[in-house]
Amino acid sequence: MPGKYKLVAFDVDGTLIDEMQFVWVKIHQDLGMDPEKVGQARDDFLNGCITFREWADYDTNLWIRNGVTKHMIEKSIVKFSVMEGAIDTIKELHRRGYKLAIISGGLDIVVNHFLSNVKKYFSHIVINQLKFDDEGNLKGIDIPPEYDGWGESKQIVLKTIADKEGISTEDCVFVGDSNNDMDVIKEAGLGIAFNATPELSEAADIVIKKKDLREILKIID
Ligand SMILES: [Mg+2]
């Protein structure tokens, strides 16, 4: 049985998946999206002029207008890889009795591609879902309702998940790498900065510098 904590939640881009900070940015670059348009939308979000939902909708519509297909996105993400130790860590945490969750502002296509064998171990997967028609043409995006608020609201997602499990966020561990994990890493009972930015490392309870997720198994028993 787990010790002090009951649930472990993971970020995806840069945490469970290596080689990238944000999948959106990589796909924009690979598919040759206009950097000016992409940058303007990002700045509008960071300046608080648009919500995360509006930003994700804008970027998705940009892809749709440019005829992006599932195949094109898969070709782009295939260069990424599963983080060192991720599969072992997921299986072992499940074996130890922890509930597992994914909280990501990324894309489900990445989880489906790289983590399909271990998806069954997660009780909660909160991530944007790309919608394709039968020919694989991109048609839209389903954004989790928790991302309705201003910002990406990962801490709201953690609260919602904890509520559903009948536990407190103090019983939860969160593992992330970027500054957009700042609020949720503070919300969690144990915040782990993994291969993370200096700002996130500063805010976290524990910092893991070695790029191997199995390090987590030494921290939570
Ligand atoms: Mg990340």
Side-chain angles (χ1 to χ4, degrees), residues 5 8 93 96 98 173 190 192 216-221:
Y5 303 101
V8 185
L93 289 174
R96 291 183 189 178
Y98 288 96
V173 179
L190 185 73
I192 300 179
I216 293 169
L217 300 173
K218 300 177 189 168
I219 297 161
I220 47 176
D221 52 10

Side-chain angles (χ1 to χ4, degrees), residues 11-15 21 177-178 180-181:
D11 165 58
V12 173
D13 298 5
T15 302
Q21 264 208 324
D177 73 309
S178 300
N180 66 333
D181 298 317

Side-chain angles (χ1 to χ4, degrees), residues 118-172:
V118 290
K119 252 182 102 171
K120 60 181 178 230
Y121 298 119
F122 289 90
S123 311
H124 308 271
I125 297 181
V126 180
I127 192 165
N128 304 298
Q129 294 177 27
L130 291 177
K131 297 288 161 198
F132 301 94
D133 67 14
D134 291 344
E135 280 81 50
N137 299 300
L138 182 60
K139 285 294 164 194
I141 186 165
D142 277 351
I143 300 161
E146 291 90 345
Y147 291 155
D148 263 345
W150 212 258
E152 201 182 330
S153 316
K154 285 188 177 188
Q155 81 278 24
I156 296 173
V157 179
L158 187 68
K159 281 182 195 164
T160 309
I161 290 173
D163 277 353
K164 282 182 185 162
E165 292 291 341
I167 59 175
S168 152
T169 53
E170 281 300 307
D171 302 320
C172 300

